[in-house]
Amino acid sequence: MGKEGKGNFQLKTPKGTRDWSGTDVVLREQIFTTISNVFKRHGGVTIDTPVFELKDTLTGKYGEDSKLIYDLADQGGEICSLRYDLTVPFARFCAQNAVQNIKRYHIAKVYRRDQPAMTKGRMREFYQCDFDIAGQFDPMLPDAEILRIVKEVFEELPEWKGKFTIKINHRKILDGIFQICGVPEDKIRTISSAVDKLDKSPWEEVRREMVEDKGLAPEVADKIWTYAQLKGGKDVVEKLQAMPEVVANESAKQGLENMALLCDYLEIFEVMPALSVDMSLARGLDYYTGVIYEVVTEGSAPSASAKDVAKKEEKQKKQKKSTDPDEDRSNDPTIGVGSVAAGGRYDELVGMFSGKPIPCVGISFGVDRIFSITKARLDKNREATALRPTEVDVFIMAFGGGKDFTGMLPERMAVAKELWDAGIKAEYLWKAKPKLQNQFKAAENGKVPWAIILGDDELKAGKIKIKEMGLPDGHPEKDGVVVEKNRLVEEIQSRLAGKASLPVRSA
Amino acid sequence: MGKEGKGNFQLKTPKGTRDWSGTDVVLREQIFTTISNVFKRHGGVTIDTPVFELKDTLTGKYGEDSKLIYDLADQGGEICSLRYDLTVPFARFCAQNAVQNIKRYHIAKVYRRDQPAMTKGRMREFYQCDFDIAGQFDPMLPDAEILRIVKEVFEELPEWKGKFTIKINHRKILDGIFQICGVPEDKIRTISSAVDKLDKSPWEEVRREMVEDKGLAPEVADKIWTYAQLKGGKDVVEKLQAMPEVVANESAKQGLENMALLCDYLEIFEVMPALSVDMSLARGLDYYTGVIYEVVTEGSAPSASAKDVAKKEEKQKKQKKSTDPDEDRSNDPTIGVGSVAAGGRYDELVGMFSGKPIPCVGISFGVDRIFSITKARLDKNREATALRPTEVDVFIMAFGGGKDFTGMLPERMAVAKELWDAGIKAEYLWKAKPKLQNQFKAAENGKVPWAIILGDDELKAGKIKIKEMGLPDGHPEKDGVVVEKNRLVEEIQSRLAGKASLPVRSA
């Protein structure tokens, strides 16, 4: 929230955007680092595309959501829009440069003129972390690599190990099942969207939508339900492969062969324990052509009772009365944040640009949602308070007082210079004659782990004191240790060696 | 340049923007890492502000350049513009949050609807790397820290050590000199802008502008010239302090005291050898109130003869005939790229937002210009070809052929998994039965330093072969070494230990 600035001026960021600062940005940077380290481990190279694209590039890619695209004003020249995601710019890049194959990652902001809900991490400006593989390879090998990447990311993020599930399905299996159940060809996409709501709505509600809103025959809907409930490991694939009517359908048969092979690979990669083959997963976007997956976590997509749904609808109706496009939706905590990562195979998107399709498969991590959940878990464990606001390792202080106290500013600066020369992160107080108390306070506020304390007598003897901050009373080194001044850099380096550079330790 | 897409569609990025990929993005990432490591060494914390701000936030901050601001379309709700720099959003942040003091860095893109000149690194979307210090401290200590940061950055960037000069001046000295020379109060800013052109234009041309265009008395202009030529180290400060008419001026006197103190501090920090106190440096922006500085390098701001200037003007006149706002300016290689970093003290800007001024001093690195120059220097030394496109350290291959060759896909995947588990960056070819030749080619294209080669006989004996890529013929390990398979991770880790992780070694 902003406040009144000088004059009539509103001192705030635009609706749905926020500043990131303090330990929030420290934690988010750590999440970026963890994710990009995994990407690099798998041979990922980063590309950077402009924050805005020609409007034509985005047109016709997002269906109904196109209304959420931000346009730039027409100030003469080309008509441009802010990117809505990183996938379409990636496909444009591949088409424009006739890319044969690439493993690319991209961590950047995207823009959606949606109703913001801050506490859910739903903003108008937010980060995505995408990894995509383009190119022609033997079946399911890139797909297996992506899912291994998902596993590594969530096992290495603090507070996520063992707390995530990768739901997976395959468009060809879904399409086959819809055909088997008797869904008319022109209703497959819309019925697919209805099935996708099963993570948030009970079957009765989804069935009502299919039959009443979308005109599906009730017996077709009920047949879908017998399949949509299937959920488990590789056994789901085997169960479906044992059903004669399923394998008689060419699309389902192909999809199941894909999935069986993928499960074999994921067995080798030790991803299977985190996987849930889930026939109710459908994913909204039209462009998926093969495997689809999303990652959920405790509380990220709560299953709702019919009563909850009714309540929610009541609330939404009330909200529709408002006409202010910038008004917040109610931050109802019973509404989950949805998936924390999602993706799939999209073999046709690049061809929409160049006419020459390149097979692609990818994953997008919703890093702002991941941030919100990670922060809440750290807070619960009181670990968030342990986050260091800066990476400074050493605070240089002058000890003294009274009228003879010089403040030792040149001496403190000279020590700082010596440490910086050696690459050591160091600060001192920008005051000519600082009180010792204020210097300690500054070091404590910054959670700086080490202090160097300059004293007249010690300096004359070529000595200097090093003190570890925060030692308990009675610790033998509570008052610090005196070392040779000309060995200062080595003494500090040996104390810093082996300390984790990341502010939160990995789970 | 783009190309024709499917249909009438133009497959390109918007004018003045580009994709970054391949080794360009690797080198740029290294520049970011080098710069942000220096920022962190000095206690910098990063903040992240939205890419667009309320239009009102930017209004009245950039003078004539305001016409270069990109606006978002009015789609209902607030009126917003893309940020023009990182300084004004930082000042807005400080005012909004009533920040008492902060050392913040911000590496992000900014937007200017200027005429692009790709080869000079002048784009409509480009990165800035800013470090700013806000808060009340003892005189010149934050200023000295900023200049020390500048020195560290350029000494640690590849191909920059010893190849940069920090030009420095002080607004109060300049204002004092203008008063002493008899410049009318209302002409000080415009005459200051004229002086600032002395790095690109000869004195005759600047004098003509002052006298003919701006109506300054010729003798006043000539008096300015006697001061503007002063250039050197701390001696320039001392020379001016020895001039009675200069120290009689309160503004000049204060400015010189500031500069003398700063030079003392920079002596301790060993920055003086890179510094040039230069009375012809004036800087365009209105908001500077104290020290101002910019960093130049060989060829970044060539001094031009009067003849060159005439030629340039002729060319500019011709270009003005064009009315297409998106047309490129001629990429005349005689036009320098200007400074590669610049900044100064601005004590009033935050007060423009909140009414409560907070003293600030900062530096902005023009990282796209730095990139262009670094790349040209590396190319000249043929080091650019040594850039690794990815960070992959190990490529896993299967050795074999003929009809019995299985391709050892599960075995290669299992080895990859083992390496990933240990955090080692590894790839294998996504092909069930790959030719050895194609596997080597993939490793060579990626400049991957190590290969692991699986062979049937060795695997049966619990062994595995490690081979360093690119060894010369006759090297004893040219054909690789065979190690115990169960010690593979350790064997690889010990070979990788101590290798630089950055693609270009620091100078």
Side-chain angles (χ1 to χ4, degrees):
Chain A
M1 290 294 99
K3 55 182 187 180
E4 282 292 305
K6 212 180 168 184
N8 282 329
F9 181 74
Q10 265 263 311
L11 205 47
K12 66 185 278 291
T13 61
K15 191 85 187 172
T17 71
R18 56 166 288 196
D19 295 320
W20 287 80
S21 63
T23 51
D24 275 3
V25 79
V26 172
L27 177 58
R28 196 179 63 173
E29 291 281 311
Q30 178 174 353
I31 292 171
F32 288 157
T33 304
T34 303
I35 295 177
S36 57
N37 280 345
V38 173
F39 291 166
K40 288 177 196 168
R41 189 181 301 150
H42 290 266
V45 296
T46 191
I47 72 165
D48 174 27
T49 63
V51 83
F52 50 83
E53 295 275 346
L54 295 181
K55 190 172 170 59
D56 285 348
T57 299
L58 307 188
T59 302
K61 308 301 184 305
Y62 302 109
E64 273 189 16
D65 284 352
S66 295
K67 66 179 187 298
L68 302 181
I69 293 174
Y70 273 100
D71 294 327
L72 293 190
D74 181 357
Q75 295 169 288
E78 299 161 341
I79 304 300
C80 300
S81 302
L82 297 186
R83 62 183 165 217
Y84 178 88
D85 64 10
L86 302 175
T87 310
V88 169
F90 171 62
R92 191 265 308 148
F93 171 86
C94 288
Q96 183 177 329
N97 298 286
V99 168
Q100 288 306 304
N101 64 73
I102 191 171
K103 301 181 193 177
R104 91 86 175 76
Y105 70 92
H106 195 178
I107 300 182
K109 288 173 173 180
V110 301
Y111 299 87
R112 300 182 185 180
R113 288 183 59 259
D114 208 345
Q115 288 299 353
M118 298 263 183
T119 52
K120 302 273 174 287
R122 188 174 62 235
M123 303 288 285
R124 291 179 161 195
E125 173 184 66
F126 59 97
Y127 265 97
Q128 287 193 335
C129 297
D130 282 23
F131 188 99
D132 291 82
I133 297 167
Q136 191 74 55
F137 303 102
D138 278 355
M140 308 319 285
L141 286 169
D143 315 64
E145 189 100 0
I146 296 278
L147 292 163
R148 167 73 194 191
I149 285 170
V150 172
K151 173 197 148 101
E152 288 182 27
V153 163
F154 285 105
E155 293 209 332
E156 292 174 29
L157 285 172
E159 300 291 333
W160 280 84
K161 195 168 185 168
K163 294 180 185 165
F164 65 96
T165 301
I166 307 171
K167 290 161 69 172
I168 188 167
N169 201 351
H170 195 296
R171 269 283 161 89
K172 287 192 175 168
I173 303 177
L174 263 182
D175 288 353
I177 287 174
F178 291 141
Q179 287 164 357
I180 295 159
C181 294
V183 178
E185 207 61 37
D186 63 341
K187 286 207 164 99
I188 283 188
R189 279 284 79 82
T190 185
I191 293 303
S192 184
S193 298
V195 167
D196 199 47
K197 292 175 186 161
L198 280 169
D199 60 337
K200 298 189 201 83
S201 306
W203 166 242
E204 303 79 56
E205 168 55 26
V206 171
R207 183 180 189 278
R208 196 204 53 74
E209 182 182 330
M210 287 179 175
V211 175
E212 291 177 28
D213 301 351
K214 299 185 168 169
L216 197 68
E219 63 277 14
V220 174
D222 291 333
K223 207 166 166 195
I224 292 173
W225 180 230
T226 62
Y227 293 104
Q229 294 171 78
L230 290 173
K231 184 177 303 191
K234 201 187 170 185
D235 56 297
V236 172
V237 177
E238 288 158 352
K239 195 180 277 178
L240 285 163
Q241 282 182 317
M243 296 178 180
E245 82 278 15
V246 172
V247 287
N249 178 287
E250 192 52 35
S251 174
K253 181 167 169 271
Q254 273 185 24
L256 287 165
E257 279 167 10
N258 271 187
M259 283 288 272
L261 185 59
L262 180 63
C263 287
D264 289 344
Y265 292 157
L266 294 180
E267 194 69 53
I268 300 174
F269 284 167
E270 283 182 15
V271 180
M272 285 310 285
L275 209 74
S276 170
V277 179
D278 186 334
M279 288 299 124
S280 72
L281 177 74
R283 307 264 320 124
L285 286 170
D286 281 0
Y287 57 61
Y288 290 119
T289 56
V291 283
I292 47 178
Y293 30 78
E294 59 183 44
V295 181
V296 294
T297 186
E298 225 176 286
S300 81
S303 62
S305 72
K307 210 172 153 191
D308 286 339
V309 172
K311 258 195 223 163
K312 223 180 280 176
E313 287 190 338
E314 185 64 24
K315 204 170 268 177
Q316 280 166 359
K317 263 183 216 159
K318 275 185 199 161
Q319 283 168 358
K320 273 186 189 152
K321 285 178 192 161
S322 162
T323 53
D324 177 0
D326 277 344
E327 199 194 26
D328 262 347
R329 271 184 207 168
S330 156
N331 290 326
D332 183 345
T334 64
I335 302 172
V337 300
S339 62
V340 290
R345 175 163 285 283
Y346 52 100
D347 286 349
E348 312 294 343
L349 189 60
V350 175
M352 286 178 74
F353 288 106
S354 61
K356 291 175 202 129
I358 303 171
C360 292
V361 61
I363 181 82
S364 179
F365 293 89
V367 77
D368 288 1
R369 289 175 177 180
I370 292 171
F371 166 84
S372 300
I373 296 168
T374 308
K375 190 182 169 186
R377 289 177 181 168
L378 289 170
D379 277 343
K380 208 170 155 193
N381 298 346
R382 297 185 192 179
E383 278 197 54
T385 53
L387 282 173
R388 283 171 59 186
T390 79
E391 295 187 14
V392 170
D393 286 320
V394 181
F395 204 97
I396 304 145
M397 307 179 184
F399 178 76
K403 69 175 167 50
D404 292 338
F405 180 51
T406 63
M408 290 183 273
L409 179 60
E411 291 82 358
R412 284 184 284 140
M413 292 177 94
V415 170
K417 187 223 151 247
E418 197 183 338
L419 297 177
W420 294 333
D421 279 345
I424 296 166
K425 297 163 192 151
E427 284 182 315
Y428 64 98
L429 209 61
W430 289 331
K431 208 157 169 49
K433 293 189 183 183
K435 288 183 183 154
L436 188 61
Q437 186 190 338
N438 290 344
Q439 298 175 82
F440 267 109
K441 212 172 133 189
E444 278 160 12
N445 287 344
K447 295 199 169 73
V448 181
W450 295 93
I452 290 177
I453 304 171
L454 310 189
D456 267 334
D457 295 345
E458 279 144 2
L459 278 186
K460 273 173 206 150
K463 310 266 189 191
I464 206 159
K465 186 185 273 184
I466 301 176
K467 177 176 150 52
E468 185 169 358
M469 299 287 290
L471 290 181
D473 286 337
H475 190 285
E477 294 191 0
K478 173 80 183 167
D479 293 327
V481 291
V482 175
V483 303
E484 298 292 325
K485 188 170 180 306
N486 59 16
R487 293 198 65 252
L488 179 63
V489 165
E490 294 160 73
E491 294 280 355
I492 293 288
Q493 277 170 337
S494 73
R495 282 167 174 79
L496 295 177
K499 298 273 164 128
S501 63
L502 284 175
V504 183
R505 69 176 179 282
S506 181
Chain B
M1 290 297 97
K3 54 181 188 180
E4 284 292 304
K6 212 179 170 185
N8 281 329
F9 181 73
Q10 265 264 307
L11 206 46
K12 65 186 279 291
T13 61
K15 190 88 186 169
T17 70
R18 55 166 287 194
D19 295 321
W20 287 80
S21 63
T23 51
D24 275 3
V25 79
V26 172
L27 177 58
R28 196 179 63 173
E29 291 281 311
Q30 178 175 353
I31 291 171
F32 288 157
T33 304
T34 303
I35 294 177
S36 57
N37 281 345
V38 173
F39 291 165
K40 289 177 195 167
R41 189 181 302 151
H42 289 265
V45 297
T46 191
I47 72 166
D48 174 26
T49 64
V51 84
F52 50 84
E53 295 275 346
L54 295 181
K55 189 171 171 59
D56 286 346
T57 300
L58 306 189
T59 302
K61 307 301 184 304
Y62 302 108
E64 274 190 13
D65 285 351
S66 295
K67 66 178 186 297
L68 302 181
I69 292 174
Y70 273 99
D71 294 327
L72 292 189
D74 181 358
Q75 295 170 289
E78 300 160 339
I79 304 300
C80 300
S81 301
L82 298 186
R83 62 184 165 215
Y84 178 88
D85 64 11
L86 303 174
T87 311
V88 168
F90 171 62
R92 190 267 307 148
F93 171 85
C94 288
Q96 182 178 330
N97 298 287
V99 167
Q100 289 305 303
N101 64 73
I102 191 170
K103 300 183 196 179
R104 93 87 175 74
Y105 70 90
H106 195 179
I107 299 182
K109 289 173 173 180
V110 301
Y111 298 87
R112 299 183 185 179
R113 287 184 58 260
D114 207 345
Q115 288 299 354
M118 299 265 181
T119 53
K120 302 271 174 288
R122 187 174 63 234
M123 302 288 284
R124 290 179 160 195
E125 173 183 68
F126 60 96
Y127 265 98
Q128 287 193 333
C129 296
D130 282 22
F131 189 98
D132 292 82
I133 297 166
Q136 191 75 56
F137 302 102
D138 278 354
M140 309 318 287
L141 287 168
D143 315 64
E145 189 101 359
I146 296 277
L147 291 163
R148 167 74 194 190
I149 285 170
V150 172
K151 173 197 147 100
E152 288 181 28
V153 164
F154 285 105
E155 293 208 332
E156 292 174 30
L157 284 173
E159 301 290 331
W160 280 83
K161 194 167 186 170
K163 295 180 185 164
F164 64 98
T165 302
I166 309 171
K167 290 161 69 173
I168 189 168
N169 201 352
H170 196 296
R171 269 284 160 88
K172 287 192 175 170
I173 303 178
L174 263 181
D175 288 353
I177 287 174
F178 290 141
Q179 287 164 357
I180 294 160
C181 294
V183 178
E185 207 59 39
D186 63 341
K187 286 206 164 101
I188 283 188
R189 279 284 81 83
T190 184
I191 293 303
S192 184
S193 298
V195 168
D196 199 47
K197 291 175 188 163
L198 279 170
D199 62 334
K200 297 192 202 85
S201 306
W203 165 243
E204 302 79 58
E205 169 55 25
V206 172
R207 184 180 188 278
R208 198 203 53 73
E209 181 181 331
M210 287 179 175
V211 175
E212 291 177 28
D213 301 351
K214 298 183 170 170
L216 197 67
E219 63 277 13
V220 174
D222 291 333
K223 209 166 165 195
I224 292 173
W225 180 230
T226 62
Y227 293 105
Q229 293 171 77
L230 289 173
K231 183 178 300 191
K234 203 188 169 185
D235 56 298
V236 172
V237 178
E238 287 158 352
K239 195 180 276 178
L240 285 163
Q241 282 182 317
M243 296 180 182
E245 82 277 15
V246 173
V247 287
N249 178 287
E250 193 50 37
S251 173
K253 183 166 169 271
Q254 275 184 24
L256 287 164
E257 279 167 10
N258 271 187
M259 283 288 273
L261 185 60
L262 180 63
C263 287
D264 289 344
Y265 292 157
L266 294 180
E267 192 69 52
I268 300 174
F269 283 168
E270 284 183 14
V271 180
M272 286 308 287
L275 210 72
S276 170
V277 178
D278 186 334
M279 288 299 124
S280 73
L281 177 74
R283 308 267 317 125
L285 285 170
D286 282 0
Y287 55 60
Y288 290 119
T289 56
V291 283
I292 48 178
Y293 31 77
E294 59 183 45
V295 181
V296 293
T297 186
E298 225 176 286
S300 82
S303 61
S305 71
K307 210 171 148 190
D308 286 340
V309 172
K311 258 193 222 161
K312 222 180 279 174
E313 287 191 337
E314 185 64 24
K315 204 170 265 176
Q316 280 167 0
K317 264 184 216 157
K318 275 185 199 159
Q319 283 168 359
K320 271 186 189 152
K321 286 179 192 158
S322 161
T323 55
D324 177 359
D326 277 343
E327 198 194 24
D328 263 346
R329 271 186 209 166
S330 154
N331 289 327
D332 183 346
T334 66
I335 302 172
V337 299
S339 61
V340 290
R345 176 165 283 283
Y346 51 100
D347 287 349
E348 312 294 344
L349 189 60
V350 175
M352 287 177 73
F353 288 105
S354 61
K356 291 178 202 125
I358 303 171
C360 293
V361 61
I363 181 80
S364 178
F365 293 89
V367 77
D368 288 1
R369 289 176 178 180
I370 291 171
F371 166 82
S372 300
I373 296 168
T374 308
K375 190 182 170 187
R377 288 177 182 169
L378 289 170
D379 277 344
K380 208 171 153 191
N381 298 346
R382 296 181 191 184
E383 279 198 53
T385 53
L387 283 172
R388 283 171 60 187
T390 79
E391 295 187 14
V392 171
D393 286 320
V394 181
F395 204 99
I396 303 145
M397 308 180 184
F399 178 76
K403 70 176 168 50
D404 291 340
F405 179 53
T406 63
M408 289 183 272
L409 179 59
E411 291 83 357
R412 284 183 286 140
M413 293 177 92
V415 170
K417 186 222 151 250
E418 198 183 339
L419 297 177
W420 295 332
D421 279 346
I424 296 166
K425 297 163 191 152
E427 285 182 314
Y428 64 98
L429 210 62
W430 289 331
K431 204 154 173 53
K433 293 190 183 182
K435 288 182 183 153
L436 188 60
Q437 186 191 340
N438 290 345
Q439 298 175 84
F440 267 108
K441 212 172 134 190
E444 278 160 12
N445 288 344
K447 294 197 170 71
V448 180
W450 295 93
I452 290 177
I453 304 171
L454 310 189
D456 266 336
D457 294 345
E458 279 143 3
L459 278 186
K460 273 173 206 152
K463 309 267 189 189
I464 207 159
K465 185 185 275 185
I466 302 176
K467 177 177 152 48
E468 186 169 358
M469 299 288 289
L471 289 180
D473 285 338
H475 189 286
E477 293 191 359
K478 173 80 184 168
D479 293 328
V481 292
V482 175
V483 303
E484 297 293 323
K485 189 172 179 305
N486 58 17
R487 293 199 66 252
L488 180 63
V489 165
E490 294 159 74
E491 294 280 356
I492 292 286
Q493 277 170 337
S494 73
R495 281 166 174 78
L496 295 176
K499 298 274 166 128
S501 62
L502 285 174
V504 182
R505 69 177 178 282
S506 181

